[in-house]
């Protein structure tokens, strides 16, 4: 299982293999939020990453816009995530956090991604909906 950024979208893929016959293949490859079991496996294998905006936010508007475009969050959810982003950070897979961080940096917001212990006081991103933000920047 992999998650990666391709053509300015978040993608994932899953491979299958048979130990009996030796056949291997790609079960799925494309844009979108991976199913929970795939995302959980990625988090278990690589650990979560934390994204934070470094320094004070000059305006909440660009943050809300990015969060709503990328995750499809409601305005109230985006406000909660924006608050967490500037305080304790948002957590998710490393690829999700790098994807979101790149979007924030394009809007002039300095964002930092950390890998490691991120369980205390986290706000978890449930998944990123690709394709929505690709045309907005």
């Amino acid at each position: 299982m992999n998650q990666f950024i391709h053509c300015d979208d978040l993608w994932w893929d899953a491979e299958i293999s048979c130990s009996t016959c030796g056949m291997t293949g790609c079960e799925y490859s494309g844009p979108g939020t991976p199913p929970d079991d795939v995302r959980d496996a990625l988090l278990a294998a690589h650990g979560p990453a934390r994204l934070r905006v470094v320094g004070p936010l000059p305006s909440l508007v660009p943050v809300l816009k990015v969060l709503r475009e990328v995750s499809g969050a409601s305005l109230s959810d985006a406000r909660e995530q924006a608050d967490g982003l500037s305080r304790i950070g948002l957590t998710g897979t490393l690829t999700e956090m790098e994807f979101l961080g790149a979007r924030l940096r394009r809007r002039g917001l300095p964002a930092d991604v950390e890998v490691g212990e991120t369980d205390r006081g986290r706000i978890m991103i449930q998944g990123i909906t690709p394709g929505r933000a690709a045309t907005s920047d």
Side-chain angles (χ1 to χ4, degrees), residues 3-22:
Q3 193 175 35
F4 53 96
I5 299 168
H6 176 67
C7 296
D8 208 26
D9 255 335
L10 191 62
W11 286 52
W12 70 277
D13 66 20
E15 298 173 357
I16 56 171
S17 64
C18 177
S19 60
T20 305
C21 70

Side-chain angles (χ1 to χ4, degrees), residues 16-68:
I16 56 171
S17 64
C18 177
S19 60
T20 305
C21 70
M23 184 183 119
T24 61
C26 185
E27 181 179 355
Y28 174 84
S29 180
T33 301
D36 288 342
D37 61 328
V38 172
R39 190 167 184 274
D40 290 345
L42 289 167
L43 287 167
H46 306 290
R50 182 189 309 264
L51 172 70
R52 284 187 239 209
V53 170
V54 181
L57 294 174
S59 170
L60 201 55
V61 173
V63 177
L64 293 174
K65 186 167 183 162
V66 168
L67 290 169
R68 293 194 71 205

Side-chain angles (χ1 to χ4, degrees), residues 59-126:
S59 170
L60 201 55
V61 173
V63 177
L64 293 174
K65 186 167 183 162
V66 168
L67 290 169
R68 293 194 71 205
E69 290 170 345
V70 170
S71 70
S74 68
L75 184 56
S76 62
D77 287 345
R79 283 183 188 196
E80 180 183 347
Q81 291 172 1
D83 181 52
L85 187 60
S86 61
R87 290 183 311 104
I88 58 176
L90 301 177
T91 60
T93 68
L94 177 59
T95 307
E96 289 168 347
M97 297 301 98
E98 289 290 353
F99 182 73
L100 184 54
R103 298 284 179 182
L104 292 168
R105 287 186 288 274
R106 284 186 197 166
R107 303 275 172 126
L109 301 165
D112 184 38
V113 177
E114 303 169 347
V115 179
E117 180 58 44
T118 60
D119 286 336
R120 277 180 261 206
R122 68 182 176 182
I123 295 177
M124 180 71 93
I125 293 283
Q126 294 303 317

